[in-house]
Every structure is written in structure tokens, then in C-alpha cells.
Amino acid sequence: MKKSGSFLVLAFFASFWSYSQSIATSPYSLFGLGSMYESNFGLTAGLGTAGIALPSDGFINNKNAASLINLPANNFFFEIGGTGLQSSFENNLKKENRNNSQFSHFAFAFPITSKSAFSIAMMPYSSSSFKISGLKIPIIDGSSEYYYLDVLGTGGLNNLDLAYAYKLSNKLSFGFSASVLFGNTTDKRSYIINNSVTNIDNKISYGGIRPALSSQFKMNPSLTLGLNVKSPARVNAAKTQSVSVVNDSGTSDIETDQLSDTDDFYLPLDIGFGVNKSFKNKFNVAFDYEKSFWSATNQSDMYGNFSDQEKFSLGFSYLKAKTSRNYFDRIKFVAGAHYDTGYLVVSNNKIEDKNFSIGASFPLDHLSSALFISYTYGSKGQITNSLIQENYHKLTLNLNLDGIWFVRKKLD
């Protein structure tokens, strides 16, 4: 099974060029639940995705639920975001460009009391979008007889994220969050042998809940530590299958939406640690380290294996004066770098992701409303063993609106 799977994935990379439609097209969405999507709120995309130790005083920090305790009293944050992506895919033979854009997230956050806060967010969790066309495969190894295979994969999972924060003291806060994962993927395959076509359509529906605990500790006014622990979780899967055969005699339906066995998907234990250090209230450095223990899930994909994943994020920001009357003094500038070892091993190669980013936040009022713009350039995968290297340019636009509520106006 592994041998045929390896052959199929290598052939898939060779035939990927035939696919031009896209929501989040990537050859690596063939694996598992698809390409994992990381929504970055505020300016975290420009900070190399660092944010575990950042506060939520100017945006909703979805990297750490405990940060919500920093929301200004009586303020209500609403954030919406989107991304535009220009990608080039290259192997030993060819290079091709793709463009797409998509919704990133929307979220609400507000303090409940002086010691607690709550947020709710909706965002993509994963995306599966791939196509194989006209793949020629021998019926039996060494045989001169062949069949042809077409495969189309679509779909993905969504994440409804609920988060609560509580301030235990002026220095220590805790957060609890739950990610409600739901969605489906489809896999449509056509096997062409002589004048006969066998169509197999599979739809897998997924659902699960993943809890997480987090904390932030303010060692002093300029240094904050953050911790995230995401629990291992089981994502339940249910598959329905339809099979039909088309030949000279017509179309025969063998199965229609029949329940079929499939494996559930297991998410690993994730642990993340972050540091945030400010200098003279103008210059800021943030660093995150995260590790996902995929090996402990004891699962693999027919096209490859899962291994432990590490992420390193480093971000810098500069803000001249937060309350200045000069508009340009209130623009925050950021830059960052990110390295992800990946969790997929294909043909004995890990699918790494490396990128750097820049960005700025443009205030829209004297509260915390702002437009966040970030640009990221990165590279994923490599040109070796028939694999594909994906180079990408990503533009992230996030809009945070800040309103004051539950405040009674005074009349003279």
C-alpha cells in the first residue's frame, strides 16, 4: 500500500499543473485534513506569527486566550480579515503561477468584568484542493496494460473558536478555549479502462472539539511570558460513497450515498511558549516556540508519514507614540521571520515552510480601531525527488473596530 501510495503522490506532483481553479490550492493539501490554515489576527502575520505573549489591548490576540484580559474596560472589539495569495509551483521540469484570495476570519471580543473577558471567532481550519488528470498506471506491475486515473479533491474544515480569560492577579492571567471543528472533504475518482469508466465519489464529514489552556505572566511592565497547551483531540469522520460504471451499455449505479468505513483523524498535543519584551515603550521584540507531537498520534497517510513539528517565530515592532496628535507617530511598523519544520514526510523529505514578513497598523480613531496590513514572502517544500517547491507572496488585510458600550451618557 505504501509503495502504490508513494507512486501516486509522485505522479500527483507531476500532474498538478493541470489544476487552475483555487480557493486555497496547494499540492500539499492532498494529505490528512488538507493544508492547515493559520489565521493571524491584527499584526501577527507581520510579526512572523509571533503572539503567544502579546496582549489584546489593540487587537484580538487569537494566539493566547489569556491575553483577552488586557481588553480595555467597556470596549467591544470586532475584527474581520482576508488574505490574497500569489504562488508559484516549481519542480525539475516546469514552473507555474497561481493566484487566489479568501476570507481569513471574523471575531468579537469584550470584557465581562474587570477580571474576565470573552471572545468568539470563526475561521478556516484546513483546505483540501487538488487534482490529478490522466494518470497512467499499469494494471499489474510489469504489465503492458494500463488504466487511467482522474482525481479531484475539494473541501476543508472550519473552526469556531470560543475563548475565556480570567485575571488571577495583576501579573497572572489564565485562558481557556475550545475549537469546534466541522466540515467535509470530497474525493472524486474516475478509473478508465478501455471503454469503461468507474466513478467513485467519497464525501467525508468531520467533527470534533479541541480544548486548550493558556496563561500569561507579566514579570515586570516590560516583560511578559506566555504559555499555550492544546490538548490532543479526536476528529470524528463519517464517509459516504457512491459508485457508478459507465460503458457502452449505459450507466449503472452500484452504490448511492452508502456509509463506508473510514479512519478518524487525531490531532496531537501542542505546546507553545512565548516571550514579549518592550524597550522604552517604543520598540518591541516577540518570540514564540511551538511543538506539535504528531508522532504520538500513531497515524500515517497512504502518501506519507506524520512526524513531530516545530515552529519558530520572531517579530519586531516600533511605535513612536501611541497617543500623539501626529497621525504618523501613531503608525506601528512590524517585521518578522518564521520557520516551520512541517509535520509531513514525503519521500523521506519533510515539507518545511520558511518566510519573512513586514507590516504596519494604521489607526482609524483615538481608540483601538485600526487597519492592519502585512506582506509575507515564503517558501514551502523543495525541488527534489519529484516534489514541488511552492514560493508564495501573501498580503493580509485585517480590520479591527473598537467601540465603547454599556457607558451611560451624561447630560448637562
Side-chain angles (χ1 to χ4, degrees):
M1 188 69 173
K2 281 286 184 183
K3 183 179 179 181
S4 62
S6 298
F7 171 79
L8 182 59
V9 73
L10 294 178
F12 159 69
F13 286 134
S15 63
F16 177 72
W17 316 108
S18 63
Y19 193 34
S20 60
Q21 75 177 52
S22 175
I23 293 179
T25 302
S26 171
Y28 298 109
S29 68
L30 174 71
F31 303 92
L33 298 176
S35 296
M36 298 300 183
Y37 188 91
E38 185 172 6
S39 294
N40 294 296
F41 294 11
L43 268 178
T44 53
L47 289 166
T49 75
I52 293 177
L54 293 180
S56 284
D57 55 353
F59 70 99
I60 303 171
N61 181 11
N62 66 314
K63 302 285 288 185
N64 190 322
S67 70
L68 295 172
I69 206 65
N70 296 291
L71 289 169
N74 300 315
N75 285 44
F76 176 91
F77 282 9
F78 168 71
E79 183 169 322
I80 187 169
T83 60
L85 191 68
Q86 191 276 324
S87 302
S88 66
F89 301 96
E90 183 178 3
N91 64 5
N92 292 321
L93 301 174
K94 190 176 182 181
K95 181 177 180 180
E96 187 169 317
N97 296 325
R98 305 284 168 78
N99 301 305
N100 69 77
S101 59
Q102 70 179 60
F103 158 80
S104 170
H105 65 275
F106 70 84
F108 303 89
F110 52 89
I112 301 173
T113 68
S114 60
K115 290 187 175 184
S116 61
F118 176 79
S119 74
I120 180 171
M122 175 66 79
M123 65 198 89
Y125 184 78
S126 69
S127 177
S128 179
S129 181
F130 58 90
K131 185 177 183 179
I132 302 173
S133 294
L135 180 60
K136 186 178 180 181
I137 302 174
I139 295 177
I140 301 175
D141 289 344
S143 171
S144 60
E145 295 184 294
Y146 292 85
Y147 69 90
Y148 293 88
L149 173 65
D150 294 339
V151 184
L152 176 64
T154 59
L157 272 65
N158 302 301
N159 178 12
L160 176 63
D161 188 79
L162 307 172
Y164 173 80
Y166 183 79
K167 182 167 70 173
L168 195 64
S169 68
N170 289 332
K171 290 189 173 184
L172 181 63
S173 62
F174 289 96
F176 172 79
S177 63
S179 294
V180 182
L181 306 176
F182 62 95
N184 60 73
T185 61
T186 61
D187 183 298
K188 298 182 178 182
R189 302 189 177 216
S190 296
Y191 299 86
I192 305 168
I193 303 176
N194 298 323
N195 294 325
S196 176
V197 180
T198 301
N199 298 308
I200 302 178
D201 295 348
N202 290 317
K203 179 180 179 181
I204 304 179
S205 298
Y206 293 97
I209 298 177
R210 190 185 198 189
L213 292 174
S214 56
S215 65
Q216 285 191 343
F217 181 71
K218 199 167 187 177
M219 298 190 67
N220 56 57
S222 65
L223 179 62
T224 302
L225 306 179
L227 177 68
N228 259 349
V229 179
K230 296 181 180 179
S231 170
R234 177 178 181 175
V235 183
N236 297 310
K239 182 170 76 172
T240 58
Q241 179 173 277
S242 297
V243 180
S244 64
V245 177
V246 181
N247 53 34
D248 294 338
S249 301
T251 301
S252 301
D253 293 325
I254 309 301
E255 291 181 349
T256 302
D257 294 332
Q258 293 293 313
L259 290 176
S260 179
D261 292 336
T262 190
D263 293 330
D264 295 333
F265 193 84
Y266 293 88
L267 297 173
L269 170 68
D270 287 354
I271 298 177
F273 173 76
V275 181
N276 180 44
K277 173 67 175 177
S278 62
F279 300 88
K280 298 181 179 180
N281 293 321
K282 292 184 178 182
F283 184 70
N284 198 83
V285 180
F287 173 78
D288 288 357
Y289 169 76
E290 300 171 81
K291 185 168 184 176
S292 301
F293 297 86
W294 284 97
S295 298
T297 63
N298 296 318
Q299 63 183 348
S300 62
D301 192 285
M302 70 174 293
Y303 308 115
N305 297 309
F306 296 161
S307 66
D308 290 348
Q309 176 184 24
E310 293 179 288
K311 296 180 182 180
F312 303 84
S313 304
L314 178 65
F316 305 91
S317 66
Y318 175 78
L319 176 64
K320 186 174 182 180
K322 186 175 182 179
T323 58
S324 173
R325 292 185 177 182
N326 186 323
Y327 179 81
F328 293 99
D329 289 347
R330 294 188 288 122
I331 297 176
K332 179 183 284 189
F333 299 94
V334 300
H338 179 78
Y339 173 66
D340 180 354
T341 65
Y343 65 96
L344 297 173
V345 180
V346 182
S347 299
N348 297 318
N349 292 286
K350 263 201 165 185
I351 311 302
E352 301 177 339
D353 189 355
K354 297 164 282 188
N355 63 65
F356 71 88
S357 55
I358 57 174
S361 68
F362 300 91
L364 301 178
D365 56 24
H366 288 281
L367 296 174
S368 296
S369 297
L371 175 65
F372 304 98
I373 302 177
S374 303
Y375 164 77
T376 303
Y377 173 75
S379 177
K380 187 175 184 179
Q382 54 187 306
I383 305 174
T384 182
N385 293 338
S386 299
L387 297 182
I388 286 177
Q389 179 171 300
E390 176 183 351
N391 298 313
Y392 57 88
H393 302 268
K394 182 167 68 174
L395 180 66
T396 303
L397 298 177
N398 295 328
L399 175 64
N400 183 63
L401 299 177
D402 180 9
I404 296 178
W405 63 347
F406 297 146
V407 176
R408 183 176 299 174
K409 293 184 177 180
K410 294 183 179 180
L411 300 177
D412 292 334

mmCIF file of all heavy atoms in Angstrom, residues 87-114:
data_model
loop_
_atom_site.group_PDB
_atom_site.id
_atom_site.type_symbol
_atom_site.label_atom_id
_atom_site.label_comp_id
_atom_site.label_asym_id
_atom_site.label_seq_id
_atom_site.Cartn_x
_atom_site.Cartn_y
_atom_site.Cartn_z
ATOM 1 N N SER A 87 1.098 32.389 -5.720
ATOM 2 C CA SER A 87 2.022 31.272 -5.509
ATOM 3 C C SER A 87 2.623 30.829 -6.826
ATOM 4 O O SER A 87 1.969 30.871 -7.873
ATOM 5 C CB SER A 87 1.295 30.081 -4.865
ATOM 6 O OG SER A 87 0.711 30.431 -3.628
ATOM 7 N N SER A 88 3.857 30.372 -6.768
ATOM 8 C CA SER A 88 4.496 29.730 -7.910
ATOM 9 C C SER A 88 4.912 28.330 -7.485
ATOM 10 O O SER A 88 5.441 28.133 -6.394
ATOM 11 C CB SER A 88 5.714 30.526 -8.390
ATOM 12 O OG SER A 88 6.734 30.534 -7.410
ATOM 13 N N PHE A 89 4.632 27.355 -8.344
ATOM 14 C CA PHE A 89 4.952 25.956 -8.067
ATOM 15 C C PHE A 89 5.993 25.497 -9.084
ATOM 16 O O PHE A 89 5.838 25.700 -10.289
ATOM 17 C CB PHE A 89 3.694 25.092 -8.166
ATOM 18 C CG PHE A 89 2.612 25.519 -7.222
ATOM 19 C CD1 PHE A 89 1.599 26.358 -7.647
ATOM 20 C CD2 PHE A 89 2.607 25.099 -5.904
ATOM 21 C CE1 PHE A 89 0.596 26.764 -6.787
ATOM 22 C CE2 PHE A 89 1.609 25.502 -5.029
ATOM 23 C CZ PHE A 89 0.613 26.337 -5.470
ATOM 24 N N GLU A 90 7.047 24.885 -8.567
ATOM 25 C CA GLU A 90 8.172 24.547 -9.435
ATOM 26 C C GLU A 90 8.723 23.168 -9.093
ATOM 27 O O GLU A 90 8.880 22.817 -7.915
ATOM 28 C CB GLU A 90 9.273 25.607 -9.274
ATOM 29 C CG GLU A 90 10.478 25.400 -10.172
ATOM 30 C CD GLU A 90 11.502 26.512 -10.002
ATOM 31 O OE1 GLU A 90 11.290 27.400 -9.150
ATOM 32 O OE2 GLU A 90 12.520 26.486 -10.724
ATOM 33 N N ASN A 91 8.969 22.369 -10.142
ATOM 34 C CA ASN A 91 9.716 21.128 -9.975
ATOM 35 C C ASN A 91 10.869 21.114 -10.972
ATOM 36 O O ASN A 91 11.254 22.156 -11.487
ATOM 37 C CB ASN A 91 8.795 19.904 -10.126
ATOM 38 C CG ASN A 91 8.209 19.774 -11.519
ATOM 39 O OD1 ASN A 91 8.545 20.542 -12.426
ATOM 40 N ND2 ASN A 91 7.332 18.801 -11.702
ATOM 41 N N ASN A 92 11.408 19.930 -11.225
ATOM 42 C CA ASN A 92 12.572 19.867 -12.108
ATOM 43 C C ASN A 92 12.244 20.186 -13.561
ATOM 44 O O ASN A 92 13.151 20.424 -14.368
ATOM 45 C CB ASN A 92 13.200 18.472 -12.036
ATOM 46 C CG ASN A 92 13.829 18.191 -10.679
ATOM 47 O OD1 ASN A 92 14.434 19.076 -10.091
ATOM 48 N ND2 ASN A 92 13.657 16.979 -10.181
ATOM 49 N N LEU A 93 10.959 20.182 -13.901
ATOM 50 C CA LEU A 93 10.571 20.317 -15.298
ATOM 51 C C LEU A 93 9.834 21.606 -15.617
ATOM 52 O O LEU A 93 9.913 22.096 -16.751
ATOM 53 C CB LEU A 93 9.678 19.124 -15.706
ATOM 54 C CG LEU A 93 10.298 17.735 -15.549
ATOM 55 C CD1 LEU A 93 9.257 16.665 -15.858
ATOM 56 C CD2 LEU A 93 11.516 17.587 -16.450
ATOM 57 N N LYS A 94 9.127 22.181 -14.655
ATOM 58 C CA LYS A 94 8.205 23.248 -15.006
ATOM 59 C C LYS A 94 7.969 24.177 -13.827
ATOM 60 O O LYS A 94 8.143 23.812 -12.673
ATOM 61 C CB LYS A 94 6.869 22.634 -15.475
ATOM 62 C CG LYS A 94 5.911 23.624 -16.099
ATOM 63 C CD LYS A 94 4.671 22.885 -16.624
ATOM 64 C CE LYS A 94 3.711 23.848 -17.295
ATOM 65 N NZ LYS A 94 2.495 23.163 -17.782
ATOM 66 N N LYS A 95 7.524 25.399 -14.158
ATOM 67 C CA LYS A 95 7.153 26.386 -13.148
ATOM 68 C C LYS A 95 5.836 27.038 -13.568
ATOM 69 O O LYS A 95 5.641 27.355 -14.736
ATOM 70 C CB LYS A 95 8.240 27.450 -13.009
ATOM 71 C CG LYS A 95 7.953 28.513 -11.957
ATOM 72 C CD LYS A 95 9.117 29.493 -11.834
ATOM 73 C CE LYS A 95 8.843 30.558 -10.775
ATOM 74 N NZ LYS A 95 9.973 31.505 -10.657
ATOM 75 N N GLU A 96 4.949 27.220 -12.588
ATOM 76 C CA GLU A 96 3.645 27.801 -12.904
ATOM 77 C C GLU A 96 3.160 28.657 -11.745
ATOM 78 O O GLU A 96 3.440 28.363 -10.574
ATOM 79 C CB GLU A 96 2.630 26.694 -13.191
ATOM 80 C CG GLU A 96 1.288 27.206 -13.684
ATOM 81 C CD GLU A 96 0.409 26.084 -14.195
ATOM 82 O OE1 GLU A 96 0.933 25.209 -14.900
ATOM 83 O OE2 GLU A 96 -0.792 26.090 -13.881
ATOM 84 N N ASN A 97 2.411 29.736 -12.063
ATOM 85 C CA ASN A 97 1.907 30.661 -11.051
ATOM 86 C C ASN A 97 0.413 30.460 -10.830
ATOM 87 O O ASN A 97 -0.324 30.117 -11.753
ATOM 88 C CB ASN A 97 2.160 32.107 -11.466
ATOM 89 C CG ASN A 97 3.642 32.433 -11.565
ATOM 90 O OD1 ASN A 97 4.438 31.911 -10.795
ATOM 91 N ND2 ASN A 97 4.005 33.273 -12.511
ATOM 92 N N ARG A 98 -0.035 30.708 -9.600
ATOM 93 C CA ARG A 98 -1.458 30.666 -9.252
ATOM 94 C C ARG A 98 -1.778 31.861 -8.357
ATOM 95 O O ARG A 98 -0.938 32.321 -7.582
ATOM 96 C CB ARG A 98 -1.806 29.385 -8.497
ATOM 97 C CG ARG A 98 -1.406 28.112 -9.224
ATOM 98 C CD ARG A 98 -2.339 27.788 -10.361
ATOM 99 N NE ARG A 98 -1.793 26.750 -11.214
ATOM 100 C CZ ARG A 98 -1.803 25.455 -10.929
ATOM 101 N NH1 ARG A 98 -2.335 25.046 -9.802
ATOM 102 N NH2 ARG A 98 -1.288 24.582 -11.755
ATOM 103 N N ASN A 99 -3.000 32.358 -8.451
ATOM 104 C CA ASN A 99 -3.472 33.457 -7.606
ATOM 105 C C ASN A 99 -4.779 33.061 -6.950
ATOM 106 O O ASN A 99 -5.626 32.407 -7.571
ATOM 107 C CB ASN A 99 -3.694 34.731 -8.433
ATOM 108 C CG ASN A 99 -2.435 35.190 -9.137
ATOM 109 O OD1 ASN A 99 -1.408 35.399 -8.492
ATOM 110 N ND2 ASN A 99 -2.494 35.344 -10.442
ATOM 111 N N ASN A 100 -4.961 33.456 -5.703
ATOM 112 C CA ASN A 100 -6.258 33.278 -5.054
ATOM 113 C C ASN A 100 -6.381 34.206 -3.856
ATOM 114 O O ASN A 100 -5.393 34.766 -3.370
ATOM 115 C CB ASN A 100 -6.482 31.815 -4.638
ATOM 116 C CG ASN A 100 -5.576 31.376 -3.513
ATOM 117 O OD1 ASN A 100 -5.810 31.715 -2.359
ATOM 118 N ND2 ASN A 100 -4.542 30.615 -3.826
ATOM 119 N N SER A 101 -7.575 34.407 -3.421
ATOM 120 C CA SER A 101 -7.845 35.210 -2.232
ATOM 121 C C SER A 101 -8.949 34.531 -1.445
ATOM 122 O O SER A 101 -9.750 33.775 -2.009
ATOM 123 C CB SER A 101 -8.263 36.637 -2.611
ATOM 124 O OG SER A 101 -9.425 36.616 -3.412
ATOM 125 N N GLN A 102 -8.997 34.788 -0.146
ATOM 126 C CA GLN A 102 -10.012 34.138 0.662
ATOM 127 C C GLN A 102 -10.243 34.870 1.976
ATOM 128 O O GLN A 102 -9.404 35.649 2.441
ATOM 129 C CB GLN A 102 -9.663 32.687 0.920
ATOM 130 C CG GLN A 102 -8.491 32.450 1.862
ATOM 131 C CD GLN A 102 -8.239 30.975 2.072
ATOM 132 O OE1 GLN A 102 -7.958 30.239 1.135
ATOM 133 N NE2 GLN A 102 -8.341 30.527 3.306
ATOM 134 N N PHE A 103 -11.396 34.594 2.548
ATOM 135 C CA PHE A 103 -11.744 35.075 3.873
ATOM 136 C C PHE A 103 -10.793 34.464 4.894
ATOM 137 O O PHE A 103 -10.442 33.293 4.811
ATOM 138 C CB PHE A 103 -13.196 34.688 4.162
ATOM 139 C CG PHE A 103 -13.555 34.632 5.621
ATOM 140 C CD1 PHE A 103 -13.834 35.790 6.322
ATOM 141 C CD2 PHE A 103 -13.609 33.416 6.276
ATOM 142 C CE1 PHE A 103 -14.164 35.732 7.667
ATOM 143 C CE2 PHE A 103 -13.944 33.349 7.619
ATOM 144 C CZ PHE A 103 -14.227 34.522 8.315
ATOM 145 N N SER A 104 -10.371 35.253 5.850
ATOM 146 C CA SER A 104 -9.466 34.771 6.881
ATOM 147 C C SER A 104 -10.184 34.509 8.204
ATOM 148 O O SER A 104 -10.039 33.441 8.800
ATOM 149 C CB SER A 104 -8.337 35.785 7.099
ATOM 150 O OG SER A 104 -7.577 35.469 8.235
ATOM 151 N N HIS A 105 -10.979 35.471 8.667
ATOM 152 C CA HIS A 105 -11.634 35.304 9.966
ATOM 153 C C HIS A 105 -12.569 36.468 10.239
ATOM 154 O O HIS A 105 -12.463 37.527 9.616
ATOM 155 C CB HIS A 105 -10.589 35.244 11.080
ATOM 156 C CG HIS A 105 -9.813 36.521 11.247
ATOM 157 N ND1 HIS A 105 -8.698 36.808 10.494
ATOM 158 C CD2 HIS A 105 -9.992 37.605 12.052
ATOM 159 C CE1 HIS A 105 -8.226 37.994 10.829
ATOM 160 N NE2 HIS A 105 -8.996 38.513 11.774
ATOM 161 N N PHE A 106 -13.483 36.258 11.160
ATOM 162 C CA PHE A 106 -14.132 37.374 11.843
ATOM 163 C C PHE A 106 -14.270 36.991 13.310
ATOM 164 O O PHE A 106 -14.404 35.811 13.652
ATOM 165 C CB PHE A 106 -15.482 37.762 11.207
ATOM 166 C CG PHE A 106 -16.585 36.765 11.406
ATOM 167 C CD1 PHE A 106 -17.356 36.757 12.563
ATOM 168 C CD2 PHE A 106 -16.877 35.839 10.415
ATOM 169 C CE1 PHE A 106 -18.386 35.849 12.730
ATOM 170 C CE2 PHE A 106 -17.913 34.934 10.567
ATOM 171 C CZ PHE A 106 -18.672 34.942 11.734
ATOM 172 N N ALA A 107 -14.200 37.992 14.172
ATOM 173 C CA ALA A 107 -14.147 37.712 15.609
ATOM 174 C C ALA A 107 -14.732 38.875 16.398
ATOM 175 O O ALA A 107 -14.701 40.027 15.965
ATOM 176 C CB ALA A 107 -12.696 37.463 16.044
ATOM 177 N N PHE A 108 -15.277 38.537 17.580
ATOM 178 C CA PHE A 108 -15.773 39.510 18.546
ATOM 179 C C PHE A 108 -15.072 39.255 19.878
ATOM 180 O O PHE A 108 -14.795 38.114 20.233
ATOM 181 C CB PHE A 108 -17.284 39.374 18.769
ATOM 182 C CG PHE A 108 -18.113 39.502 17.537
ATOM 183 C CD1 PHE A 108 -18.407 38.401 16.757
ATOM 184 C CD2 PHE A 108 -18.618 40.741 17.151
ATOM 185 C CE1 PHE A 108 -19.181 38.516 15.615
ATOM 186 C CE2 PHE A 108 -19.396 40.864 16.016
ATOM 187 C CZ PHE A 108 -19.681 39.753 15.243
ATOM 188 N N ALA A 109 -14.797 40.309 20.622
ATOM 189 C CA ALA A 109 -14.196 40.159 21.949
ATOM 190 C C ALA A 109 -14.623 41.319 22.828
ATOM 191 O O ALA A 109 -14.750 42.456 22.354
ATOM 192 C CB ALA A 109 -12.676 40.089 21.862
ATOM 193 N N PHE A 110 -14.833 41.032 24.116
ATOM 194 C CA PHE A 110 -15.244 42.081 25.044
ATOM 195 C C PHE A 110 -14.966 41.619 26.477
ATOM 196 O O PHE A 110 -14.981 40.417 26.773
ATOM 197 C CB PHE A 110 -16.736 42.413 24.879
ATOM 198 C CG PHE A 110 -17.636 41.204 24.949
ATOM 199 C CD1 PHE A 110 -18.149 40.753 26.161
ATOM 200 C CD2 PHE A 110 -17.970 40.510 23.791
ATOM 201 C CE1 PHE A 110 -18.973 39.649 26.220
ATOM 202 C CE2 PHE A 110 -18.794 39.395 23.836
ATOM 203 C CZ PHE A 110 -19.303 38.969 25.054
ATOM 204 N N PRO A 111 -14.698 42.568 27.386
ATOM 205 C CA PRO A 111 -14.542 42.215 28.789
ATOM 206 C C PRO A 111 -15.902 41.933 29.420
ATOM 207 O O PRO A 111 -16.894 42.578 29.094
ATOM 208 C CB PRO A 111 -13.882 43.452 29.396
ATOM 209 C CG PRO A 111 -14.288 44.571 28.503
ATOM 210 C CD PRO A 111 -14.433 43.991 27.131
ATOM 211 N N ILE A 112 -15.947 40.956 30.320
ATOM 212 C CA ILE A 112 -17.179 40.642 31.042
ATOM 213 C C ILE A 112 -17.207 41.391 32.367
ATOM 214 O O ILE A 112 -18.196 42.037 32.710
ATOM 215 C CB ILE A 112 -17.283 39.127 31.275
ATOM 216 C CG1 ILE A 112 -17.270 38.378 29.943
ATOM 217 C CG2 ILE A 112 -18.555 38.796 32.055
ATOM 218 C CD1 ILE A 112 -17.207 36.876 30.094
ATOM 219 N N THR A 113 -16.110 41.300 33.088
ATOM 220 C CA THR A 113 -15.917 42.047 34.326
ATOM 221 C C THR A 113 -14.508 42.636 34.280
ATOM 222 O O THR A 113 -13.790 42.492 33.289
ATOM 223 C CB THR A 113 -16.070 41.149 35.568
ATOM 224 O OG1 THR A 113 -14.978 40.213 35.605
ATOM 225 C CG2 THR A 113 -17.390 40.378 35.527
ATOM 226 N N SER A 114 -14.090 43.246 35.359
ATOM 227 C CA SER A 114 -12.725 43.791 35.404
ATOM 228 C C SER A 114 -11.676 42.684 35.437
ATOM 229 O O SER A 114 -10.487 42.945 35.231
ATOM 230 C CB SER A 114 -12.562 44.685 36.641
ATOM 231 O OG SER A 114 -12.788 43.935 37.829
#
